[in-house]
Structures are given as C-alpha cells and as structure tokens.
Amino acid sequence: MKLALLISLSALFQSARGGVPNGLAPKVMIISMFRDEAEVWYNIPEFNVLAQNISVPGLSPLFPNVHCTKDSSICQITVGEAEINAASSIAALIYSGRFTLTSTYFMIAGIAGVNPKVATIGSVTFARYAVQVGLQFEIDAREIPAHFSTGYFPQGSNAPGEFPGTLYGTEVFEVNDALRHLAAQFARRARLKDNTESKAVRTQYAKNPAFAAAAAAPTVALCDTATSDTFWSGNLLGEAFEGTTKVFTNGSAVYCTTQQEDNGTLTALMRGALAKRMDFSRIIIMRSASDFDRPPPAESALANLLGPAPGFESSVLNLHLAGVKVVEAIVTGWSATFERGIKATNYVGDIFGSLGGTPDFGPGSIFK
Ligand SMILES: *[C@@H]1O[C@H](CO)[C@@H](O)[C@H](O)[C@H]1NC(C)=O
Ligand SMILES: *[C@@H]1O[C@H](CO)[C@@H](O)[C@H](O)[C@H]1NC(C)=O
Ligand SMILES: *[C@@H]1O[C@H](CO)[C@@H](O)[C@H](O)[C@H]1NC(C)=O
C-alpha cells in the first residue's frame, strides 16, 4: 500500500518534472488520411471511437477532432492528405498535452497505389521501410539526357541510380519488423472484401507475366511503401521509383505501395520519439491497395490515372476488416504482451540514426 503510494507519487512528480503532460493514454492510435478512410472506423460493431471527440489545436481544419472510445483505449485521428498535412497534424497531436502516447501503438491505416509486380488491388500490406521517392532532383522527361532512364535522380548525385550526395534525413524510415510480422499475422484472420470489377481489371494484368502478383487474388502482404506529394502513374515512373527505393535503402526495400503521407507522419513521430513523447518501435504502416501505379498492357499511363478505380471501395473496407484484427489483438493482449512492447530486432529509425543505432541503409549514423 505504502509502496504503491510512493510509486504513484513519484510518477506524479516525474511527470511534473519532465513537463510531459498527463492525458488520455490510448493503447492504439489509428491514423487515417481522409474522410473515406476515417469513416470505416465509425459506427462499427467492434468499438465506438465517436464516444469522445477531443478538439486538438493544430489539426487540419477539415478534421479538428481526435476520436476515442469511452475508455480511451482506442483513438483515431484524420491527418489530412500529403506530407505537409500529415507531419503537421501528427506534431500537433504529440505536443497537444491532451495525450500520453509513450506506450501507444500508432497504426497508419490508409489506401495506396500498388506495384503490379508485387501485389494486387484489394490487398492489405504492411511495410518495414517508407521511402520518400519524391525528394529528388527532377528534369522534365522531354529534356533528359539520352543516357538517363528517368528525369528523377537523387539530390547531390549526377544521374539516376547513384546514391544521394545530399540527405535531408526523411528519405527513409524503418519500423519494427517483429511488430510488422505480428500485425500481418493478426490481419490474416480477416476475410478480405473483393468485387467483380476488380477481378476484371486483374485479368488485364495477367497478359504480362511480370504482373503475376497483380492477376492473383488479394492477400495480406509484407512489402514497403513509397511516399511522394506527386500522385504518379505509368511504367516509366513506376520503374524509376523502384530504382529510387533500391538506391535509398541499399537494396533492402521492396517498392510495393505508393502514397502521399507516410514519410511526413513518420518524421513527426520520429521527432516525437526524440522528445520522449512516443516510442518509435510501436509503429505499424498498413496500406491497402486501391489502384495500380501503372497501367495493364495496352493501356496508357493517363487512362490508368484518370480511369475508374474499382479497387477503391474494397481497399477502404479492408482497412477496417484487417486493421480491426490488429487493434483487437493489441487491446486484448495488452497486459500479456503489448504493454511492455514488441522488441525490435532490426534497426528502427531514420537515415541519420537520430534515435541511436546504426541504420542498415544509407551512409550510417551521422551522430557517431
Ligand atoms: C462525435 O462526433 C460525431 C460526428 O463526427 C458525432 O456523431 C458523435 O455523436 C460525437 N460524439 C459525442 C460524444 O459528442
Ligand atoms: C520515408 O519513410 C520511409 C519509411 O519510414 C523511409 O524508409 C524513407 O527513407 C523515407 N523517405 C524519405 C525520402 O524520407
Ligand atoms: C549504401 O550505399 C552507399 C552508396 O553505395 C554506401 O556509401 C553506404 O555505405 C551503403 N550503406 C550500407 C549500410 O551498406
């Protein structure tokens, strides 16, 4: 009794001394980017995140509230689309003083484009690496030198395929691989949704043997994600960013999904971890595939970009179907497993080594 009192008193003083505010301490924070991704978490049978609407200064004016269950164990934030919105919203959340996030699992739950060489529409993927492929030099395709395969090449380099000579630090993030495998295992308990329109699109990709993964049924897959503010389409840019992903991660990452936020989100989370507000080994990057990053044989890049996206509906629904298995497993397994954390056996952090350790990609830690 006395011991318990002492411990709770010391916890009180510690939090006062450290200036780290007390607040709601969710076990899981679901990160959505826009309305459709958010709404799959509302009015569901499993839990009610609309029980508490918490207004947080600095969030997107389109999505000013963080939503939480009554017991605050599960919360959901909508950060807004593309890297600037994502980074700004996550930073506002972390420094709001309304939440204690040091033990919280952050699950990015968004839709994405997909590389038909790796997976298909409707699939749910879990990434280890997030690569900011848009952070590069660019020359318009009509002006590139004859020996260039693409107009994109790393900053501080002379040509595509070279390692960047200049790094901003957000080029690559690596998250906890053991947690990723566990999350995928939970997600595989879900029955993914599919539709006949998606099946028809997949048969188009079957004409190219390199796209066998696109022609197959949707699955839960382990593969990496590429971030850019630019929403691209086409074989040439797809291949260019496959190359960037390889170069930035020294060949480790598999270019699989494409989206506009994750490096922004991860940058803000990494800085939050440096400020001891969150734990960078508790991040899950879940991206379901809504459309292909390049067309099937005999279709143009523009038609692929502007045409119908038959995978949109099932990819949004699958965020909930697969993601809810992950959320439930974390909440029910809290005291047995998740409260103390899943030990990372791989490097976690950014390309600079900001959180300590030595990145297994890039030039190594700059803080040595
Ligand atoms: C929270 O906001 C939603 C609408 O976004 C509303 O349906 C719900 O009733 C609100 N919850 C509370 C407790 O006010
Ligand atoms: C984006 O994030 C991913 C994953 O965290 C990381 O691997 C990648 O290097 C980042 N890219 C940039 C350009 O910051
Ligand atoms: C990654 O590749 C670059 C360029 O070749 C090299 O300088 C760097 O040491 C490599 N990093 C690792 C961890 O292998």
Side-chain angles (χ1 to χ4, degrees):
M1 184 92 167
K2 209 164 152 194
L3 186 65
L5 183 69
L6 267 177
I7 289 170
S8 63
L9 271 177
S10 99
L12 191 73
F13 283 123
Q14 237 166 26
S15 78
R17 260 205 321 270
V20 176
N22 294 307
L24 304 185
K27 296 179 170 71
V28 184
M29 178 71 68
I30 298 164
I31 301 174
S32 315
M33 273 46 73
F34 65 101
R35 189 171 309 283
D36 303 69
E37 290 174 354
E39 282 179 349
V40 295
W41 297 103
Y42 306 154
N43 307 307
I44 54 173
E46 294 88 357
F47 46 79
N48 176 23
V49 290
L50 297 179
Q52 297 190 70
N53 299 327
I54 299 144
S55 153
V56 173
L59 294 191
S60 161
L62 299 177
F63 311 104
N65 296 320
V66 174
H67 301 285
C68 296
T69 54
K70 193 152 187 263
D71 68 358
S72 313
S73 63
I74 304 166
C75 295
Q76 182 268 336
I77 181 175
T78 308
V79 294
E81 292 170 273
E83 295 174 72
I84 293 169
N85 280 321
S88 304
S89 298
I90 294 293
L93 169 73
I94 289 176
Y95 306 107
S96 68
R98 306 294 306 271
F99 298 90
T100 301
L101 301 167
T102 42
S103 296
T104 303
Y105 287 80
F106 290 84
M107 184 173 76
I108 296 175
I111 64 169
V114 70
N115 179 355
K117 294 177 187 170
V118 182
T120 194
I121 48 175
S123 289
V124 176
T125 72
F126 290 87
R128 171 170 171 173
Y129 294 95
V131 181
Q132 193 178 5
V133 296
L135 187 55
Q136 299 202 68
F137 288 151
E138 183 191 3
I139 292 173
D140 186 276
R142 290 160 295 191
E143 295 173 311
I144 61 176
H147 66 286
F148 273 30
S149 56
T150 169
Y152 278 93
F153 53 112
Q155 295 188 137
S157 81
N158 297 310
E162 289 181 13
F163 196 79
T166 309
L167 291 170
Y168 288 179
T170 57
E171 288 81 356
V172 183
F173 290 92
E174 183 169 348
V175 300
N176 186 340
D177 196 38
L179 175 62
R180 170 171 89 125
H181 277 86
L182 210 48
Q185 189 184 312
F186 297 138
R188 290 196 178 101
R189 295 176 182 162
R191 268 191 65 167
L192 299 181
K193 278 257 191 310
D194 198 12
N195 56 31
T196 47
E197 296 84 356
S198 295
K199 286 181 183 144
V201 170
R202 290 192 197 104
T203 62
Q204 300 295 308
Y205 285 84
K207 294 171 193 156
N208 181 345
F211 296 159
T219 56
V220 171
L222 296 169
C223 56
D224 299 308
T225 196
T227 306
S228 171
D229 276 333
T230 306
F231 192 142
W232 70 89
S233 167
N235 284 293
L236 296 179
L237 282 178
E239 283 162 18
F241 294 140
E242 281 174 29
T244 305
T245 300
K246 232 186 218 131
V247 168
F248 279 14
T249 65
N250 293 61
S252 296
V254 180
Y255 167 91
C256 174
T257 60
T258 66
Q259 37 68 35
Q260 297 174 290
E261 293 85 15
D262 291 355
N263 280 57
T265 299
L266 291 161
T267 299
L269 288 173
M270 196 277 292
R271 293 185 189 183
L274 268 179
K276 305 212 180 321
R277 301 287 180 112
M278 63 84 58
D279 176 353
F280 203 79
S281 69
R282 298 183 183 220
I283 298 171
I284 297 165
I285 306 172
M286 179 178 74
R287 285 283 177 174
S288 62
S290 58
D291 54 276
F292 288 106
D293 74 338
R294 65 198 82 184
E299 192 184 280
S300 72
L302 187 64
N304 178 58
L305 187 63
L306 302 182
F312 180 83
E313 195 189 334
S314 47
S315 68
V316 169
L317 294 174
N318 287 341
L319 288 176
H320 163 247
L321 291 173
V324 82
K325 302 293 183 196
V326 180
V327 174
E328 287 179 330
I330 291 173
V331 172
T332 57
W334 187 252
S335 44
T337 308
F338 289 95
E339 184 172 15
R340 82 179 91 94
I342 302 296
K343 196 175 160 39
T345 52
N346 62 307
Y347 169 79
V348 299
D350 65 352
I351 197 165
F352 284 166
S354 301
L355 297 173
T358 304
D360 51 358
F361 52 86
S365 173
I366 65 164
F367 295 103
K368 279 274 156 66

Short mmCIF file of all heavy atoms in Angstrom, two decimals, residues 163 247 250 359-364, ligand 3:
data_model
loop_
_atom_site.label_atom_id
_atom_site.label_comp_id
_atom_site.label_asym_id
_atom_site.label_seq_id
_atom_site.Cartn_x
_atom_site.Cartn_y
_atom_site.Cartn_z
N PHE A 163 23.78 6.99 -55.41
CA PHE A 163 23.32 7.27 -54.05
C PHE A 163 23.29 8.78 -53.85
O PHE A 163 24.15 9.49 -54.36
CB PHE A 163 24.27 6.61 -53.03
CG PHE A 163 23.65 6.54 -51.66
CD1 PHE A 163 22.73 5.54 -51.38
CD2 PHE A 163 23.94 7.47 -50.69
CE1 PHE A 163 22.11 5.48 -50.13
CE2 PHE A 163 23.33 7.43 -49.45
CZ PHE A 163 22.42 6.42 -49.17
N VAL A 247 17.98 2.25 -54.31
CA VAL A 247 19.18 3.04 -54.02
C VAL A 247 19.14 3.59 -52.59
O VAL A 247 20.09 3.47 -51.83
CB VAL A 247 19.34 4.20 -55.03
CG1 VAL A 247 20.41 5.19 -54.58
CG2 VAL A 247 19.69 3.65 -56.41
N ASN A 250 19.72 0.80 -49.99
CA ASN A 250 20.80 -0.13 -50.33
C ASN A 250 20.23 -1.51 -50.69
O ASN A 250 20.73 -2.55 -50.25
CB ASN A 250 21.80 -0.25 -49.17
CG ASN A 250 22.55 1.05 -48.95
OD1 ASN A 250 21.93 2.07 -48.65
ND2 ASN A 250 23.84 1.04 -49.12
N PRO A 359 21.82 2.75 -38.92
CA PRO A 359 20.90 2.34 -39.99
C PRO A 359 21.54 1.27 -40.87
O PRO A 359 22.75 1.32 -41.11
CB PRO A 359 20.69 3.64 -40.78
CG PRO A 359 21.10 4.75 -39.89
CD PRO A 359 22.13 4.19 -38.96
N ASP A 360 20.72 0.31 -41.32
CA ASP A 360 21.24 -0.73 -42.23
C ASP A 360 21.07 -0.29 -43.69
O ASP A 360 20.98 -1.10 -44.59
CB ASP A 360 20.56 -2.07 -41.96
CG ASP A 360 19.04 -1.97 -41.93
OD1 ASP A 360 18.51 -0.84 -42.08
OD2 ASP A 360 18.37 -3.01 -41.77
N PHE A 361 20.98 1.01 -43.89
CA PHE A 361 20.90 1.58 -45.24
C PHE A 361 21.55 2.95 -45.14
O PHE A 361 21.73 3.47 -44.03
CB PHE A 361 19.45 1.71 -45.69
CG PHE A 361 18.56 2.43 -44.70
CD1 PHE A 361 18.46 3.80 -44.71
CD2 PHE A 361 17.87 1.71 -43.73
CE1 PHE A 361 17.68 4.47 -43.77
CE2 PHE A 361 17.08 2.37 -42.79
CZ PHE A 361 16.99 3.75 -42.81
N GLY A 362 21.90 3.52 -46.27
CA GLY A 362 22.49 4.86 -46.26
C GLY A 362 23.90 4.88 -45.71
O GLY A 362 24.52 3.84 -45.51
N PRO A 363 24.41 6.09 -45.44
CA PRO A 363 25.82 6.24 -45.08
C PRO A 363 26.15 5.89 -43.63
O PRO A 363 27.29 5.98 -43.22
CB PRO A 363 26.09 7.73 -45.34
CG PRO A 363 24.76 8.38 -45.20
CD PRO A 363 23.74 7.38 -45.61
N GLY A 364 25.15 5.49 -42.84
CA GLY A 364 25.42 5.19 -41.43
C GLY A 364 25.07 6.37 -40.56
O GLY A 364 24.70 7.44 -41.06
C1 LIG B 3 24.66 2.17 -49.02
O1 LIG B 3 25.16 2.53 -50.27
C2 LIG B 3 26.00 3.71 -50.26
C3 LIG B 3 26.40 4.03 -51.68
O2 LIG B 3 26.93 2.92 -52.33
C4 LIG B 3 27.21 3.42 -49.37
O3 LIG B 3 28.01 4.59 -49.30
C5 LIG B 3 26.73 3.04 -47.99
O4 LIG B 3 27.82 2.69 -47.17
C6 LIG B 3 25.78 1.86 -48.05
N1 LIG B 3 25.25 1.61 -46.72
C7 LIG B 3 25.16 0.40 -46.17
C8 LIG B 3 24.58 0.33 -44.80
O5 LIG B 3 25.51 -0.62 -46.75
#
